[in-house]
């Protein structure tokens, strides 16, 4: 049987996902910031690209959170981008966009 070459990713393990990392801490901070502002627990995430921003207007009972209020999120520089995370419902399905 051939052994993987030393530079090959085969057989190498990444960091233990059970161990705290800075990345996990950043994600936890963002989740906590969003959950502290909204009770919605989305089952669907929608990425709104060019031409799809109007879909955000269909979200019922929306909670909009400015990106700058969420740790780790940057501000949007795209023309016409709202720079907000929007949580609510579309056709009784909990969404985030």
């Amino acid at each position: 049987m051939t052994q993987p070459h030393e530079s090959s990713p085969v057989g190498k393990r990444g960091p233990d996902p059970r161990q705290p990392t800075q990345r996990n801490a950043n994600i936890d901070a963002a989740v906590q910031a969003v959950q502290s502002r909204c009770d919605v627990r989305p089952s669907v995430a929608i990425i709104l690209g060019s031409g799809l921003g109007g879909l955000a207007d269909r979200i019922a009972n929306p909670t909009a959170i400015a990106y700058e209020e969420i740790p780790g999120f940057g501000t949007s520089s795209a023309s016409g981008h709202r720079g907000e995370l929007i949580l609510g419902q579309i056709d009784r399905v909990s969404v985030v966009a």
Side-chain angles (χ1 to χ4, degrees):
M1 178 191 270
T2 312
Q3 296 296 319
H5 188 271
E6 186 61 36
S7 65
S8 169
V10 175
K12 292 190 177 190
R13 293 183 179 189
D16 185 342
R18 298 169 294 183
Q19 296 299 316
T21 64
Q22 184 59 46
R23 180 177 176 190
N24 291 347
N26 292 344
I27 292 169
D28 290 344
V31 169
Q32 185 176 26
V34 171
Q35 288 181 344
S36 71
R37 299 271 313 269
C38 182
D39 292 331
V40 173
R41 300 298 180 259
S43 57
V44 175
I46 305 168
I47 299 174
L48 301 175
S50 298
L52 295 174
L55 184 59
D57 296 329
R58 293 197 49 218
I59 298 175
N61 305 313
T63 297
I65 305 170
Y67 285 170
E68 59 262 10
E69 295 177 18
I70 304 171
F73 277 49
T75 56
S76 175
S77 60
S79 176
H81 193 286
R82 297 179 189 187
E84 298 174 323
L85 192 68
I86 303 172
L87 297 99
Q89 294 187 335
I90 296 178
D91 295 330
R92 296 183 300 226
V93 175
S94 296
V95 299
V96 59

